[in-house]
Amino acid sequence: MDLTTDKTPRQLFGILSVDKQPGLTSRDCVDRIQRAIRPVKVGHAGTLDPIASGVLLLLIGPAVRLTDDLHRLDKEYEADFQLGISSASADTETEMFQHPGDLPTLHSIQSVLERFIGTISQTPPIYSAVQIQGQRAYRLARAGKNVEMPSRSVRIDRIEILRYQPPHLTLKVTCGTGTYIRALGRDIAQCVGSDAVMTKLTRTRVGPFRQSASYSLDRLQSPQDIRDGLTDPPAALQHLPPVNLSDDVLERVKNGQKVTLPGNQAIHGDRIAALNQSGQLKAVLVFDGQRWQTEMYFPEAP
């Protein structure tokens, strides 16, 4: 559909929270929405593996430029693990092997969780999308290559045991971007003398976006369906202080001029979300030590 013939005045500019179902890739979801609103751009913030379900944020129109900001939002997961087995992918997608020894007790698992809270070092599974010398690790692994996975720092805010009926363990995890939940379950199990594979993963929240309020792809068949499901970008930028600017100041921002904030507003941080008087996102500004300059401007925003 050519949106230039669409008489609805609001531009397609916002965040679409989709409840992805297992079996679909994140790219599949992007492509389905893209076909409905072409030539409007569509991207996503935070890949979900095909085995996983739950919140996938799609960025519509100019909002694709906010991808890095949405990656910074904290995430919440519920994950099922089977203890006493292992696999190279740390889930059920590759061959599984029995791990010798007794299964850990609930108390022993609880006693080690504190070690995984905060900023920790994590080694992703070799079957992952991590780039190794310009190639995805999973492609190298499938080709039989010897893959040395580098460790990385990730942030874990909370881990809660929801259920444990040996060998089945369900965890609720709140974390920062880049965390591999299957690797977390594997590492917790190894810490108590066992091993684990992830059997199910649901992303229940990304920032303010919850699975219960997300849309199934079946409900997003037309441009109007998609428009009705959009969330205005400021709702997803809670990490950026919002500042309402006058049309005169926004015109200077549009022209790339540096500006000062009205009333000498006290701002924490060096980036802000610049809104018009109606509360719509018009720009992201950065502080150069004296004044604010344009990092992104959204001329298409209403």
Side-chain angles (χ1 to χ4, degrees):
M1 176 178 180
D2 183 355
L3 290 175
T4 60
T5 64
D6 190 338
K7 298 183 183 302
T8 305
R10 182 182 175 190
Q11 297 290 328
L12 283 173
F13 174 38
I15 314 301
L16 188 65
S17 183
V18 169
D19 184 6
K20 187 188 89 65
Q21 297 304 302
L24 295 174
T25 66
S26 299
R27 188 71 231 178
D28 290 336
C29 297
V30 169
D31 290 345
R32 286 200 193 185
I33 300 301
Q34 183 78 80
R35 284 194 292 270
I37 60 175
R38 191 175 285 117
V40 176
K41 292 181 179 180
V42 182
H44 71 79
T47 300
L48 272 179
D49 290 338
I51 192 177
S53 63
V55 180
L56 177 68
L57 298 186
L58 301 186
L59 297 87
I60 309 299
V64 296
R65 297 167 64 191
L66 298 169
T67 300
D68 288 345
D69 280 287
L70 267 68
H71 271 301
R72 298 174 189 173
L73 298 176
D74 68 322
K75 300 168 179 65
E76 182 181 273
Y77 296 90
E78 290 186 11
D80 292 347
F81 298 91
Q82 182 173 342
L83 276 66
I85 56 177
S86 64
S87 75
S89 59
D91 61 17
T92 58
E93 298 296 289
T94 57
E95 185 177 2
M96 292 179 285
F97 302 91
Q98 195 73 31
H99 187 278
D102 296 333
L103 292 172
T105 65
L106 174 60
H107 176 74
S108 65
I109 297 173
Q110 289 175 322
S111 69
V112 302
L113 293 185
E114 194 65 30
R115 304 182 196 179
F116 295 90
I117 301 298
T119 300
I120 66 170
S121 178
Q122 184 183 79
T123 303
I126 60 172
Y127 286 86
S128 65
V130 174
Q131 291 270 5
I132 304 293
Q133 296 180 345
Q135 297 189 59
R136 299 294 186 186
Y138 67 83
R139 290 179 179 158
L140 295 172
R142 288 172 183 165
K145 304 289 187 181
N146 184 30
V147 182
E148 290 287 336
M149 295 299 297
S151 296
R152 60 207 287 182
S153 292
V154 298
R155 192 191 81 243
I156 309 293
D157 299 319
R158 182 182 180 190
I159 306 173
E160 179 184 354
I161 298 175
L162 297 183
R163 290 174 294 278
Y164 184 44
Q165 296 178 326
H168 303 291
L169 171 69
T170 301
L171 298 177
K172 182 176 181 179
V173 178
T174 305
C175 60
T177 189
T179 304
Y180 277 85
I181 302 299
R182 50 195 161 114
L184 178 64
R186 173 203 67 194
D187 294 346
I188 290 172
Q190 290 178 353
C191 197
V192 290
S194 187
D195 216 318
V197 298
M198 188 179 71
T199 58
K200 182 181 179 182
L201 179 66
T202 303
R203 189 153 67 193
T204 54
R205 181 179 61 80
V206 178
F209 299 93
R210 295 189 174 276
Q211 185 184 20
S212 58
S214 297
Y215 293 86
S216 70
L217 287 175
D218 291 340
R219 289 184 57 190
L220 302 168
Q221 298 293 326
S222 70
Q224 189 60 51
D225 294 336
I226 294 165
R227 176 178 285 112
D228 291 343
L230 289 180
T231 296
D232 290 334
L237 300 177
Q238 296 178 351
H239 58 291
L240 297 183
V243 178
N244 295 91
L245 299 178
S246 67
D247 290 343
D248 288 344
V249 176
L250 286 173
E251 185 66 22
R252 294 171 58 198
V253 168
K254 175 183 177 180
N255 294 329
Q257 300 176 31
K258 296 181 180 181
V259 299
T260 56
L261 299 184
N264 295 318
Q265 298 185 49
I267 298 296
H268 298 288
D270 58 1
R271 297 174 78 234
I272 61 172
L275 315 180
N276 63 16
Q277 293 301 304
S278 299
Q280 295 155 328
L281 180 69
K282 294 298 294 183
V284 174
L285 306 182
V286 294
F287 192 57
D288 69 1
Q290 293 183 322
R291 290 185 293 176
W292 295 87
Q293 60 186 15
T294 307
E295 180 182 281
M296 304 177 212
Y297 183 75
F298 301 100
E300 309 90 337

